[in-house]
């Protein structure tokens, strides 16, 4: 068996191992060591050492724990919950106002942390009881919470984009700026859809009651706006602004955002010792898991490349009798299908490097292709049968049936696919902002 074929067999076994539920990192390492030893001998051990240490020395990766810590502080301190309640009081007269508030908070929360599980869980805890009590439609409510929670995959500072940058050879700051317009497009489409449905059928999203409005004065509403919404928004906007404008690296900006979030939580007296300890522990736990997965997947990718399997696959794809557009749709379809049973990490670190050379050879911009992959991966989080967002939501709202949650999410999957189509038809929606900021 030739070395390139050996690598393809290894790739197939990786997917088999991942689908069995065995830990991803150990699957990558074991298969890479086994097939690497067969193909290149003892050098595979040196290659593993090099890949692990080079990743750990990558300063961009330090942004991961800092952004995670920032997100956990905002979550544990209750600042996101206060923002939710403030927006609800300000927008309550509108039909479907709770959908609007959920999606606005989800957009801000996505910019604070790229952790989908945390976003869906927090939104479910904050919004679901009020939505049920005020008679909001269960399916649209579930879809709005789940779809809003997945925005963290795309909207900067996304952990996925930080990881993807070195893989595709594109600066993280460019990925961040390219993802802003698609991310806001998705959020806007969600909001327009829910408000339109509520306008056409007010029973789907009734406005806040007069009694609730009467309980708060205009002064109290303005106070909540100033104290509950603007500070959190300014921290996130400043953090992203530093990165995109080139004032600070992603790591430096992440450290600034984490410190600002911590100070804000302390000033508002919303952070006790137990919440701080849980934030630190959760950050360490999740960072260790992500970094171990990254290192092991990097190692497998290096073995796959050294065996020549990537070049063989690229040549095969280039010689298929399909146009570049059809090939793009096929590859995005593969990413979409794999995104349901698999985590995003193996897809970004294994699948994207395999298909990226083919896309570049066909004349596609790697930055544009990377954002299309990120949006497609977000869509897969809402697609049954796996649809991890559904399980997060079901965990905090057990009285919602999985059938209603699935049917609610599928409405938003259609919206996401429409946005993916627009990004394919109009590439400047992705490339315009990086081009402007680059000049």
């Amino acid at each position: 068996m030739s070395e390139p074929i050996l690598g393809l067999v290894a790739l197939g076994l990786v997917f088999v191992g991942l689908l069995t539920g065995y830990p991803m990192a150990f699957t990558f390492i074991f298969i890479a060591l086994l097939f690497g030893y067969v193909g290149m001998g003892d050098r595979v051990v040196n290659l593993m050492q090099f890949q692990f240490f080079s990743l750990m020395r990558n300063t961009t990766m330090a942004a991961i724990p800092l952004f995670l810590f920032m997100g956990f502080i905002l979550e544990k301190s209750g600042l996101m919950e206060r923002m939710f309640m403030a927006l609800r009081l300000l927008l309550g007269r509108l039909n479907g106002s709770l959908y609007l508030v959920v999606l606005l908070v989800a957009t801000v929360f996505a910019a604070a942390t790229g952790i989908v599980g945390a976003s869906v869980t927090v939104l479910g805890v904050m919004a679901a009881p009020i939505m049920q009590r005020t008679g909001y439609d269960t399916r649209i409510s579930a879809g709005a919470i789940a779809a809003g929670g997945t925005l963290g995959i795309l909207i900067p500072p996304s952990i996925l984009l930080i990881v993807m940058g070195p893989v595709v050879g594109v600066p993280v700051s460019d990925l961040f700026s390219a993802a802003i317009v698609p991310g806001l497009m998705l959020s806007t489409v969600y909001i327009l859809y829910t408000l339109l449905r509520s306008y056409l059928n007010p029973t789907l999203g009734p406005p806040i009651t007069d009694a609730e409005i009467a309980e708060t004065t205009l002064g109290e509403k303005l106070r909540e706006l100033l104290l509950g919404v603007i500070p959190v928004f300014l921290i996130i906007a400043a953090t992203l602004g530093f990165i995109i404008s080139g004032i600070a690296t992603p790591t430096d900006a992440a450290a600034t955002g984490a410190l600002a979030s911590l100070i804000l939580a302390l000033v508002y007296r919303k952070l006790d010792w137990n919440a701080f300890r849980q934030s630190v522990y959760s950050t360490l736990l999740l960072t260790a898991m992500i970094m171990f997965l990254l290192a092991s997947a990097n190692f497998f990718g290096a073995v796959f490349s050294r065996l020549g399997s990537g070049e063989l696959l690229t040549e095969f794809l280039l010689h298929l009798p399909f146009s570049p557009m059809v090939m793009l749709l096929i590859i995005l379809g593969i990413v979409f299908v794999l995104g349901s049973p698999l985590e995003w990490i193996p897809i970004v670190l294994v699948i994207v490097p395999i298909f990226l050379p083919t896309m570049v050879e066909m004349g596609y911009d790697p930055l544009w292709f990377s954002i299309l992959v990120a949006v497609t991966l977000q869509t897969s989080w809402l697609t049954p049968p796996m649809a991890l967002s559904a399980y997060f939501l079901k965990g905090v709202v057990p009285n919602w049936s999985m059938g209603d949650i699935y049917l609610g999410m599928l409405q938003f999957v259609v919206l996401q696919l429409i946005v993916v189509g627009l990004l394919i038809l109009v590439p400047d929606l992705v490339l315009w902002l990086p081009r402007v900021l680059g000049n």
Side-chain angles (χ1 to χ4, degrees):
M1 184 183 297
S2 64
E3 290 185 359
I5 299 299
L6 196 67
L8 293 178
V9 173
L11 180 63
L13 287 178
V14 162
F15 286 116
V16 172
L18 294 179
L19 291 173
T20 61
Y22 195 74
M24 286 186 288
F26 295 110
T27 300
F28 283 129
I29 292 173
F30 175 75
I31 294 177
L33 279 175
L34 177 62
F35 284 84
Y37 183 80
V38 174
M40 64 182 73
D42 293 343
R43 291 177 298 164
V44 71
V45 178
N46 295 328
L47 180 62
M48 180 176 68
Q49 182 184 17
F50 174 78
Q51 289 297 323
F52 270 71
F53 277 92
S54 62
L55 178 74
M56 300 306 171
R57 287 196 297 265
N58 188 336
T59 55
T60 301
M61 295 295 106
I64 293 176
L66 293 168
F67 277 129
L68 290 176
F69 181 70
M70 181 173 112
F72 282 124
I73 287 294
L74 290 175
E75 174 197 349
K76 300 290 185 185
S77 63
L79 292 175
M80 299 304 298
E81 183 176 358
R82 180 170 187 173
M83 185 170 68
F84 177 86
M85 298 307 296
L87 288 173
R88 179 171 176 266
L89 290 174
L90 291 166
L91 303 172
R93 291 285 189 185
L94 185 68
N95 282 343
S97 59
L98 284 178
Y99 300 136
L100 175 59
V101 171
V102 164
L103 292 167
L104 287 175
V105 172
T107 304
V108 176
F109 199 88
T113 173
I115 312 167
V116 172
S119 299
V120 174
T121 301
V122 172
L123 289 171
V125 169
M126 290 191 301
I130 302 175
M131 288 176 149
Q132 292 178 93
R133 190 168 63 248
T134 52
Y136 271 63
D137 182 75
T138 300
R139 293 177 181 176
I140 300 179
S141 298
I145 293 172
T150 61
L151 288 172
I153 287 181
L154 184 63
I155 294 180
S158 161
I159 302 300
L160 181 149
L161 297 179
I162 295 174
V163 172
M164 186 182 283
V167 174
V168 298
V170 175
V172 173
S173 57
D174 287 351
L175 286 171
F176 277 6
S177 57
I180 288 176
V181 171
L184 294 180
M185 280 179 61
L186 282 169
S187 178
T188 302
V189 169
Y190 297 161
I191 289 171
L192 292 176
Y193 172 74
T194 54
L195 292 183
L196 180 61
R197 290 288 306 275
S198 300
Y199 174 77
L200 296 175
N201 185 0
T203 60
L204 297 177
I208 194 171
T209 63
D210 291 335
E212 289 179 286
I213 291 291
E215 290 176 0
T216 55
T217 64
L218 177 61
E220 289 173 329
K221 293 179 184 177
L222 293 176
R223 180 175 181 274
E224 284 301 308
L225 174 65
L226 292 174
L227 298 180
V229 179
I230 293 178
V232 175
F233 177 79
L234 288 178
I235 288 175
I236 295 169
T239 301
L240 297 181
F242 288 155
I243 298 172
I244 294 171
S245 63
I247 295 175
T249 65
T251 304
D252 295 334
T256 304
L259 178 62
S261 300
L262 183 59
I263 292 174
L264 183 64
L266 291 173
V267 168
Y268 280 19
R269 298 181 180 180
K270 292 288 186 179
L271 187 69
D272 57 23
W273 172 249
N274 186 50
F276 176 76
R277 185 180 62 182
Q278 288 180 351
S279 299
V280 172
Y281 177 75
S282 298
T283 300
L284 289 172
L285 192 66
L286 200 52
T287 301
M289 183 195 72
I290 291 174
M291 293 303 291
F292 191 36
L293 277 171
L294 289 178
S296 58
N298 264 358
F299 171 48
F300 176 83
V303 171
F304 187 83
S305 177
R306 293 293 179 90
L307 292 175
S309 307
E311 296 177 5
L312 176 66
L313 198 55
T314 300
E315 288 296 320
F316 171 75
L317 293 173
L318 288 174
H319 285 88
L320 289 176
F322 298 125
S323 67
M325 180 57 68
V326 173
M327 281 300 303
L328 173 66
L329 295 176
I330 291 174
I331 289 173
L332 291 179
I334 293 172
V335 171
F336 177 79
V337 171
L338 292 177
S340 181
L342 299 180
E343 290 275 2
W344 59 263
I345 291 179
I347 295 175
V348 168
L349 295 177
V350 178
I351 301 302
V352 172
I354 290 173
F355 290 139
L356 182 64
T358 303
M359 293 289 94
V360 173
E361 286 290 330
M362 290 184 170
Y364 290 123
D365 190 303
L367 175 60
W368 177 68
F369 175 69
S370 301
I371 297 301
L372 285 180
V373 169
V375 178
T376 304
L377 280 175
Q378 181 190 350
T379 304
S380 67
W381 274 76
L382 302 178
T383 308
M386 295 300 287
L388 294 177
S389 295
Y391 295 99
F392 292 134
L393 185 55
K394 178 67 174 177
V396 294
V397 195
N399 59 320
W400 281 356
S401 70
M402 287 299 290
D404 282 339
I405 293 175
Y406 278 149
L407 290 173
M409 292 193 307
L410 286 176
Q411 300 176 49
F412 289 83
V413 169
V414 174
L415 299 176
Q416 289 176 323
L417 292 176
I418 292 172
V419 172
V420 171
L422 289 174
L423 297 178
I424 292 174
L425 293 175
V426 189
D428 276 348
L429 291 172
V430 174
L431 301 175
W432 169 76
L433 189 55
R435 190 184 303 128
V436 170
L437 294 174
N439 294 332

